Amino acid sequence: MSPDITVGVPVYNSAALMGDCLDCLSEQTYRGFTARVFDNASTDATAEIVAARAAADPRFLLHRQPENVGAGQNFLDALAAAETEFFLWRADDDLTAPDYLARTRALLLENPGAALAVGHVESRRPAKGRIRQHPFIEPSGARVWTILRRMFLCHPSWIYGLWRTEALRRYYLGTWEAYPHPWANDHLVLLNVILDEAVVGDNGTRFIQRIGVRGGAPRSAAQKRAARAEARRLRPIFGAVCDAAIRVRGFSTLEERVLLGASGLYADKRVNATAMPWRRIHAAKSP
């Protein structure tokens, strides 16, 4: 069976996590996928671990960058290499239920107008013994109310759901053209797909976000101050892009007024609350 899903796995120095990551993909009940691991010139045993898996299972492919290209570019390269109808990114420290690919793929096949399919998100902080549940937000009431609830309540890990490949390229590259900054960029990608009512979900399957399993030193006070300063600088730019995205979509006068009224609060939540630019993407730090 020719694969119709590409799993892009951008990694850097991920030897400690690669076993679980690759096992999770191997155990998917849907077999029609190819997993392309983009190793960003790791200095540990990441490449060797992936090469061994690729030798045993032809669905896995290793792409080793000749030099470190930065985390953002490594993610873009994974997307650019996809030749299948569907695509998702997979961070090395995230996991999913065995039926995740099967059920999200079924959702997209059942909903031709949808661009993104997601599941229930379970956010874990193993070091603190904390688990939080984030169910998919089902439609409820007027469509503007569903859009607002998804804007404010969607989990950032929705970016790691299953996308129609061409739709993700359109949303992602269009977002970068309007807002060429990594800080909170994922939230703008998700905002656009939410405004288009092009996201579907299945609370019967699970995406598992694991926070803190990579280790590493906490950020210094100086780094925290720099992060706050960057958020203040980008907040008005982010807000203007949000407003523009709302205005071009042909909402009714009342719907547009409501969404524009909430836009400032949305920008405050998504920019000022973002502790790191693309928190999940940049977890795999480049040198």
Side-chain angles (χ1 to χ4, degrees), residues 12-276:
Y12 174 72
N13 281 357
S14 301
L17 298 169
M18 286 313 302
D20 286 348
C21 176
L22 299 177
D23 286 347
C24 178
L25 293 172
S26 294
E27 292 164 2
Q28 290 296 302
T29 57
Y30 182 71
R31 310 287 293 172
F33 71 88
T34 181
R36 295 177 176 265
V37 181
F38 278 72
D39 177 34
N40 204 4
S42 294
T43 58
D44 64 2
T46 297
E48 289 79 2
I49 294 170
V50 178
R53 181 62 60 101
D57 187 337
R59 294 176 302 167
F60 291 83
L61 301 171
L62 171 64
H63 302 263
R64 183 161 169 80
Q65 303 282 20
E67 60 183 13
N68 193 290
V69 297
Q73 186 60 51
N74 205 33
F75 268 71
L76 279 171
D77 288 349
L79 175 57
E83 299 175 343
T84 54
E85 182 178 2
F86 306 115
F87 175 87
L88 75 158
W89 281 302
R90 174 61 55 87
D92 56 9
D93 49 354
D94 290 332
L95 303 171
T96 52
D99 62 355
Y100 188 81
L101 292 185
R103 296 182 73 145
T104 52
R105 175 180 177 273
L107 274 175
L108 292 179
L109 292 175
E110 293 164 6
N111 296 274
L116 169 65
V118 300
H120 179 109
V121 177
E122 181 175 291
S123 183
R124 300 178 180 177
R125 291 183 181 270
K128 298 183 178 181
R130 184 184 302 164
I131 298 177
R132 291 181 176 173
Q133 307 295 338
H134 304 270
F136 176 69
I137 302 147
E138 301 285 356
S140 175
R143 72 166 181 163
V144 71
W145 175 239
T146 296
I147 289 171
L148 285 171
R149 291 178 65 240
R150 288 176 175 174
M151 284 171 58
F152 285 92
L153 300 177
C154 79
H155 195 274
S157 291
W158 280 16
I159 199 74
Y160 290 98
L162 185 66
W163 292 82
R164 295 189 191 277
T165 305
E166 291 308 313
L168 175 57
R169 286 177 176 146
R170 184 175 67 252
Y171 281 113
Y172 187 75
L173 297 177
T175 297
W176 271 96
E177 183 177 347
Y179 180 82
H181 309 282
W183 191 283
N185 189 284
D186 52 341
H187 290 299
L188 275 179
V189 176
L190 292 174
L191 172 64
N192 279 279
V193 74
I194 289 169
L195 291 174
D196 285 342
E197 301 178 88
V199 56
V200 289
D202 182 347
N203 279 313
T205 191
R206 194 163 298 246
F207 178 95
I208 301 168
Q209 177 197 43
R210 298 187 298 170
I211 301 173
V213 295
R214 294 188 61 87
R219 290 185 301 153
S220 67
Q223 289 173 320
K224 292 179 181 178
R225 286 194 298 272
R228 289 192 292 270
E230 182 71 350
R232 287 192 297 270
R233 182 180 77 84
L234 290 175
R235 161 61 181 82
I237 303 172
F238 184 99
V241 175
C242 289
D243 289 350
I246 292 166
R247 288 192 173 101
V248 300
R249 280 183 160 78
F251 289 111
S252 71
T253 301
L254 178 58
E255 289 171 331
E256 182 176 295
R257 187 178 301 162
V258 170
L259 292 170
L260 288 174
S263 177
L265 293 174
Y266 177 78
D268 287 339
K269 174 181 176 65
R270 296 307 188 184
V271 177
N272 295 330
T274 303
M276 292 277 289

